[in-house]
Amino acid sequence: MTNMIYCERPRPTEIGGEIQDGGFAYRLEYNWAQWPAPLEGVHTLNGVFGPDGNLYVATENKEYPVAVLSPRGEFLGSFGAGLFEKAHSVFFTPSHTVLVADSSKTAHVIREITLDGALVRDFGTLG
């Protein structure tokens, strides 16, 4: 069973506000993620929790396209530099690789990469 929070629901706009869904309560904490200086204020587009409990976040920063945060929000590193113009979404595969969509006008492809950032294959045609 998967619990989901639907985006069309009212969202809190103040720190400490809560989202209620299916008997669960989620509190909004703006300063949870401890970004390094190059990622402060970066636009993040999607995140997914990995089997290791860390959060993998797609960012619009070409040098840090997939950022990894610990459950406490600590920045652990990133991977995929040089492979994406605008990482948009990140999803885990059953083989513990990640699928990352590049939504830039020059790439527009889904790339499967390892957690070390090595390209496995592309879905679609690059460009």
Side-chain angles (χ1 to χ4, degrees):
M1 175 180 237
T2 302
N3 293 309
M4 300 185 79
I5 297 175
Y6 297 96
C7 294
E8 67 270 6
R9 298 208 178 161
R11 298 183 197 183
T13 57
E14 298 178 15
I15 294 174
E18 287 189 351
I19 298 171
Q20 301 281 328
D21 185 66
F24 293 93
Y26 303 90
R27 186 177 63 233
L28 183 63
E29 292 191 26
Y30 286 105
N31 296 318
W32 172 80
Q34 300 161 31
W35 299 109
L39 290 175
E40 287 180 8
V42 72
H43 191 204
T44 59
L45 299 155
N46 168 265
V48 64
F49 284 98
D52 56 5
N54 294 325
L55 179 63
Y56 293 76
V57 181
T59 80
E60 286 190 343
N61 185 306
K62 293 182 202 181
E63 299 303 314
Y64 302 86
V66 181
V68 184
L69 300 166
S70 76
R72 292 174 302 284
E74 301 159 318
F75 178 75
L76 300 176
S78 69
F79 58 93
L83 293 175
F84 303 94
E85 290 293 315
K86 182 180 177 184
H88 186 273
S89 298
V90 57
F91 299 94
F92 268 86
T93 69
S95 59
H96 301 289
T97 59
V98 291
L99 299 176
V100 182
D102 190 328
S103 63
S104 69
K105 291 180 182 178
T106 58
H108 214 270
V109 69
I110 296 174
R111 305 193 105 174
E112 181 177 3
I113 61 175
T114 66
L115 298 181
D116 295 329
L119 180 63
V120 176
R121 62 183 156 171
D122 287 334
F123 293 91
T125 304
L126 188 64

